[in-house]
Amino acid sequence: MRILAVSVCAALALTRAEACTVESAVGEKLFASIQSEGDRAKQSLKVLDRLGALNNKGKDPTKPLGEQLTLAEADEFSRLTQRQAAMTLQSLIESAYQRDLKVIKQTFDVANGLYVNGREPSEKDPLSYHFGLLLVLRMVDQANERKDSVSTPTAVSDCSIEAALHAVERESLERLGRMDVNNDVGQLTAIQKRSPKGPDGAIDRGRMPYEDRAALDRLERRLAPAFREHQLVSDLESLKGLARMAELKYQLQKKDAIDSGGDVNAVGQSMDRERLEKRDELFIRVLKKIADDIPSEWAKQMSAATRSADPAEVPSQAKDQRNARPAKSAPVRQVPPPAAKLQ
């Protein structure tokens, strides 16, 4: 009976591991993020309705709104405005996180496609950007002092993006472990060392002895499967690092937004205080580059709304209400504009 129970537990663990794919892990994260954004939108509507009701109490367009509200109403207006600013900032952070998740998933699709069929996306392919991103990650990997090390997610049992990537990576590591390539690698290294080189350091095949050239071709064919597995492992390690930093950035930005009460200038301070390894710092730079190249959906919507809002077309009364301010006893925190560093 005990053996049966152990077998059932093992089967369930295996089933869960197989079910935890990169697609499902990203999907779960996106679903949770979108659900959180939906809950925040409901709260925002209530806040905006109350702000609208308070704003409608300003009947005289020649007087500031603060002079037409009671002290309690002015304090409430200030508090609700600050709360709305905090929720707006949270929406920006959430949208940027969703963008990062999608980019990581699409870059994995490129790496997996290169492994399966070896085809690079064309310049017109929507994934061409992600192929370029993968090449950047490979350069980051080359700069890594521990290039051949394999990281293990802190919670492999959870279906995180890092755990899902690690599961795919483990398959390649198992295949590499079954390959007896040490002797072939030794021969290949010896030929590479004694072969003539061109100005760029690459082997000049035209100047190689015929025997060495034939042996090099034969060894490269035999080692091609191992090279392919090794490249996939390297790509997955880079994507794991990028996913780990994307998650860290997201959690710390949320903390900054909450702790500061919605101050956009405070977001990023916790990350700045983090003591990261050189490789993780490079991943953070890659994430910033992604933010520059691909604005989040929230940032794009706000940018479009800003462009479409022509002050000349705003009615005079709406202008007066928009420019109205509560009295000095109730300062208003304005909704922050899209911040480039959070996009």
Side-chain angles (χ1 to χ4, degrees):
M1 193 71 178
R2 183 178 178 182
I3 296 176
L4 177 60
V6 172
S7 299
V8 171
C9 290
L12 289 174
L14 180 60
T15 301
R16 176 166 176 77
E18 292 175 347
C20 182
T21 64
V22 176
E23 182 176 8
S24 65
V26 171
E28 287 182 13
K29 290 281 188 181
L30 285 173
F31 178 77
S33 179
I34 294 171
Q35 190 174 43
S36 175
E37 181 61 21
D39 294 339
R40 191 180 301 108
K42 294 178 182 178
Q43 298 175 29
S44 180
L45 284 175
K46 294 179 180 178
V47 170
L48 290 174
D49 285 344
R50 181 54 184 162
L51 284 173
L54 291 171
N55 193 63
N56 288 335
K57 291 193 174 186
K59 304 299 184 180
D60 189 347
T62 64
K63 293 183 179 180
L65 178 62
E67 295 180 4
Q68 303 178 67
L69 299 177
T70 66
L71 182 60
E73 290 172 339
D75 287 341
E76 182 185 11
F77 189 93
S78 179
R79 177 174 51 81
L80 291 177
T81 303
Q82 182 174 352
R83 184 180 175 190
Q84 181 62 25
M87 288 191 291
T88 301
L89 183 56
Q90 288 281 2
S91 296
L92 177 56
I93 293 172
E94 205 76 53
S95 184
Y97 178 57
Q98 293 170 15
R99 182 270 323 284
D100 290 345
L101 293 177
K102 293 174 183 177
V103 169
I104 290 171
K105 167 61 170 59
Q106 291 165 322
T107 307
F108 165 75
D109 290 341
V110 171
N112 188 65
L114 289 171
Y115 172 79
V116 172
N117 54 42
R119 295 178 183 175
E120 300 178 1
S122 65
E123 292 184 0
K124 296 182 179 180
D125 193 307
L127 291 176
S128 61
Y129 173 85
H130 304 85
F131 173 65
L133 178 60
L134 184 64
L135 296 182
V136 171
L137 291 174
R138 288 179 178 181
M139 288 190 289
V140 171
D141 182 62
Q142 290 296 322
N144 180 25
E145 296 176 354
R146 297 179 299 170
K147 186 168 57 176
D148 294 326
S149 62
V150 175
S151 61
T152 303
T154 53
V156 181
S157 58
D158 296 336
C159 187
S160 64
I161 301 173
E162 195 177 352
L165 290 166
H166 186 71
V168 179
E169 183 181 20
R170 191 169 58 244
E171 295 174 1
S172 281
L173 291 171
E174 290 173 355
R175 285 190 289 269
L176 278 170
R178 292 192 293 267
M179 297 180 184
D180 184 12
V181 298
N182 290 336
N183 185 51
D184 289 342
V185 169
Q187 293 182 45
L188 179 65
T189 301
I191 293 175
Q192 289 174 335
K193 286 183 177 179
R194 66 172 180 259
S195 296
K197 309 293 191 304
D200 59 353
I203 293 177
D204 187 346
R205 290 177 178 262
R207 294 162 51 199
M208 290 177 66
Y210 171 77
E211 296 79 4
D212 278 0
R213 188 165 63 248
L216 180 64
D217 291 340
R218 183 177 66 255
L219 289 168
E220 286 180 339
R221 286 193 298 270
R222 288 172 59 177
L223 288 171
F227 289 154
R228 187 177 63 162
E229 299 292 351
H230 187 271
Q231 185 60 69
L232 181 61
V233 168
S234 297
D235 290 341
L236 294 173
E237 272 299 305
S238 295
L239 287 171
K240 283 161 63 178
L242 192 65
R244 186 172 61 254
M245 288 301 101
E247 186 68 28
L248 178 64
K249 183 191 77 168
Y250 169 61
Q251 296 298 340
L252 291 181
Q253 285 186 344
K254 284 202 305 180
K255 178 181 181 300
D256 288 343
I258 293 172
D259 292 348
S260 67
D263 182 4
V264 67
N265 296 314
V267 177
Q269 292 181 358
S270 292
M271 177 61 79
D272 292 340
R273 290 192 295 267
E274 283 288 310
R275 301 184 64 179
L276 303 175
E277 295 183 2
K278 178 182 177 182
R279 190 164 187 256
D280 289 338
E281 290 178 351
L282 293 174
F283 287 137
I284 291 296
R285 292 182 186 178
V286 172
L287 288 171
K288 289 180 179 178
K289 176 61 176 173
I290 292 172
D292 291 339
D293 295 340
I294 309 177
S296 65
E297 289 300 319
W298 191 96
K300 287 191 289 188
Q301 292 172 11
M302 291 300 294
S303 178
T306 301
R307 288 195 303 269
S308 63
D310 186 353
E313 299 177 2
V314 179
S316 58
Q317 184 177 3
K319 287 183 183 179
D320 292 333
Q321 291 180 346
R322 183 192 64 195
N323 294 329
R325 298 288 187 273
K328 292 184 178 180
S329 60
V332 175
R333 294 284 299 277
Q334 295 300 310
V335 175
K341 65 177 181 178
L342 302 181
Q343 290 180 353

